């Protein structure tokens, strides 16, 4: 009886959610929606619209190199299925463009996001080029971006948090990669995310500006993977003044005891701010961490609340 009641409650709540979120556009590869491609739907969004434009994307593999321009504000993607709604492309840094020039890291992205207030739920973002060097899945270059229950698939440089003034919130997301697979200058909070480490490398490569107090904050995240023992660093500074904090995170045995790497420059040790608070698991080894990293005190930990990190922006209130 309880099982039947639970099933009915779930069904009712799902129905209410479906009715509550009325998409403005539907994308379906089979032609059953308003558009067959995601980029067509993006183009249809009015420029500088203040209200949220909801785009529902049905199951399918959409191989498109996508651009969400800065004029496309407050766009929300909702996928029909996390694992079966896939936005993908296969460019990579050394791939040649029309003029025979290498695309470079910045040119490799599958999806460029510039519009403020973009959000996504239940979507898989992928760079499918494989282990061929830098290959970005998402160039997250807008302010006030929110990703809920999304996957970011790739190898090196999977997620590019672009722009020093930008604030980005990732909750219950899955992010995988090898070298520097979360990188960039934005302030980004990762809440209860799964970070999956493949082969060997560095989880983060922050390039936080010297004038920005917070860079990356990983809170209650689980670091997992199939990497061998002692093969991964928590991060290295792509630029001086990089800032990364792991709070209440679960760290496996493949995290190196020293935790952090200075990218071959001792000067970075004086400017980078790398911190942990109550790490758990076999990879939690505060006694053997680099002497230029920090184990936060309870008072220092109190500074790490969303309001402080995001300078007054409350993503969970949206």
């Amino acid at each position: 009886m309880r099982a039947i009641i639970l099933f009915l409650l779930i069904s009712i709540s799902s129905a209410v959610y479906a009715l509550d979120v009325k998409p403005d556009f539907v994308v379906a590869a089979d032609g059953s929606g308003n558009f067959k491609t995601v980029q067509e739907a993006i183009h249809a969004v009015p420029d500088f619209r203040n209200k949220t434009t909801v785009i529902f994307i049905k199951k399918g593999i959409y191989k498109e190199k996508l651009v969400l321009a800065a004029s496309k504000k407050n766009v929300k993607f909702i996928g029909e299925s996390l694992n079966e709604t896939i936005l993908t492309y296969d460019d990579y840094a050394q791939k040649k463009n029309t003029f025979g020039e290498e695309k470079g890291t910045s040119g490799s992205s599958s999806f460029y996001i510039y519009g403020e207030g973009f959000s996504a739920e239940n979507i898989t973002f992928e760079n499918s080029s494989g282990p061929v060097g830098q290959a970005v899945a998402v160039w997250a270059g807008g302010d006030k971006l929110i990703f809920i229950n999304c996957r970011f698939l790739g190898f090196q440089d999977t997620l590019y948090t672009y722009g020093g003034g930008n604030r980005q919130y990732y909750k219950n997301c899955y992010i995988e990669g090898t070298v520097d697979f979360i990188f960039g200058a934005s302030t980004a909070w990762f809440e209860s995310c799964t970070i999956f480490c493949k082969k060997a490398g560095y989880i983060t490569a922050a390039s936080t500006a010297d004038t920005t107090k917070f860079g990356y904050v990983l809170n209650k995240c689980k670091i997992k993977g199939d990497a061998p023992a002692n093969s991964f660093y928590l991060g290295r500074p792509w630029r001086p003044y990089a800032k990364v904090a792991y709070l209440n995170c679960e760290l496996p045995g493949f995290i190196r005891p020293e935790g952090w790497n200075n990218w071959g420059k001792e000067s970075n040790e004086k400017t980078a701010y790398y911190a942990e608070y109550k790490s758990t698991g076999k990879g939690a080894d505060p006694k053997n961490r680099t002497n230029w990293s920090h184990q936060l005190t309870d008072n220092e930990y109190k500074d790490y609340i969303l309001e402080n990190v995001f300078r007054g922006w409350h993503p969970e209130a949206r």
Side-chain angles (χ1 to χ4, degrees):
M1 186 64 182
R2 287 184 179 179
I4 294 172
I5 293 172
L6 181 60
F7 173 78
L8 289 173
L9 287 173
I10 292 171
S11 299
I12 291 168
S13 63
S14 297
V16 170
Y17 177 79
L19 289 172
D20 186 53
V21 180
K22 297 179 180 178
D24 297 285
F25 303 123
V26 175
V27 178
D30 62 5
S32 61
N34 303 105
F35 305 101
K36 288 185 177 181
T37 70
V38 177
Q39 191 65 60
E40 286 178 301
I42 291 172
H43 287 325
V45 177
D47 290 330
F48 299 105
R49 188 182 187 213
N50 290 321
K51 293 184 178 180
T52 300
T53 304
V54 178
I55 299 174
F56 181 73
I57 307 173
K58 289 190 175 182
K59 296 177 184 178
I61 298 174
Y62 299 86
K63 188 176 181 181
E64 307 176 52
K65 194 171 176 75
L66 300 170
V67 178
L68 185 107
S71 62
K72 308 297 183 180
K73 297 174 60 179
N74 303 313
V75 175
K76 182 181 184 71
F77 284 5
I78 299 177
E80 183 178 9
S81 168
L82 170 63
N83 294 316
E84 297 177 271
T85 302
I86 302 171
L87 312 186
T88 184
Y89 209 73
D90 57 1
D91 278 348
Y92 54 94
Q94 293 182 330
K95 192 174 182 179
K96 301 294 196 298
N97 63 18
T98 303
F99 301 99
E101 305 153 341
E102 291 187 356
K103 290 178 179 288
T105 302
S106 297
S108 72
S109 185
S110 300
F111 185 16
Y112 296 90
I113 303 169
Y114 296 101
E116 179 181 326
F118 174 82
S119 61
E121 297 180 17
N122 305 326
I123 303 277
T124 291
F125 302 98
E126 179 187 46
N127 189 308
S128 61
S129 60
V132 291
Q134 297 96 330
V136 178
V138 171
W139 169 298
D143 188 26
K144 299 180 181 179
L145 305 188
I146 300 174
F147 298 88
I148 307 292
N149 195 39
C150 290
R151 296 195 304 160
F152 300 82
L153 309 183
F155 285 82
Q156 184 172 350
D157 292 2
T158 305
L159 175 60
Y160 192 174
T161 65
Y162 181 84
N166 291 332
R167 294 161 289 183
Q168 303 170 8
Y169 184 64
Y170 301 79
K171 185 174 183 178
N172 297 332
C173 290
Y174 170 94
I175 307 165
E176 69 173 25
T178 54
V179 177
D180 307 333
F181 62 96
I182 302 173
F183 73 110
S186 301
T187 295
W189 184 294
F190 301 87
E191 179 72 22
S192 301
C193 292
T194 297
I195 312 299
F196 193 90
C197 301
K198 304 193 291 187
K199 297 187 176 181
Y202 311 82
I203 296 173
T204 65
S207 54
T208 321
D210 59 343
T211 54
T212 303
K213 185 175 181 180
F214 298 100
Y216 293 157
V217 178
L218 294 89
N219 186 48
K220 298 179 181 177
C221 292
K222 291 185 177 181
I223 314 302
K224 297 184 176 182
D226 54 12
N230 298 321
S231 62
F232 258 89
Y233 290 92
L234 297 172
R236 61 176 178 171
W238 182 20
R239 300 282 187 271
Y241 300 99
K243 301 175 184 70
V244 180
Y246 286 75
L247 313 176
N248 310 297
C249 291
E250 186 179 310
L251 310 180
F254 58 71
I255 298 298
R256 294 179 64 92
E258 64 269 38
W260 309 92
N261 181 280
N262 66 11
W263 206 309
K265 295 181 180 179
E266 288 188 15
S267 59
N268 284 332
E269 298 178 7
K270 297 178 181 179
T271 58
Y273 188 85
Y274 286 150
E276 293 174 74
Y277 181 78
K278 293 188 176 179
S279 296
T280 61
K282 293 181 179 179
D285 193 358
K287 292 182 179 179
N288 289 311
R289 290 291 190 255
T290 57
N291 59 14
W292 48 278
S293 65
H294 306 268
Q295 297 293 320
L296 297 176
T297 66
D298 289 342
N299 282 333
E300 290 171 332
Y301 171 68
K302 291 178 182 179
D303 287 339
Y304 287 87
I305 58 175
L306 284 172
E307 184 177 8
N308 287 347
V309 173
F310 283 146
R311 307 185 298 278
W313 177 49
H314 298 273
E316 293 186 334
R318 177 171 171 174

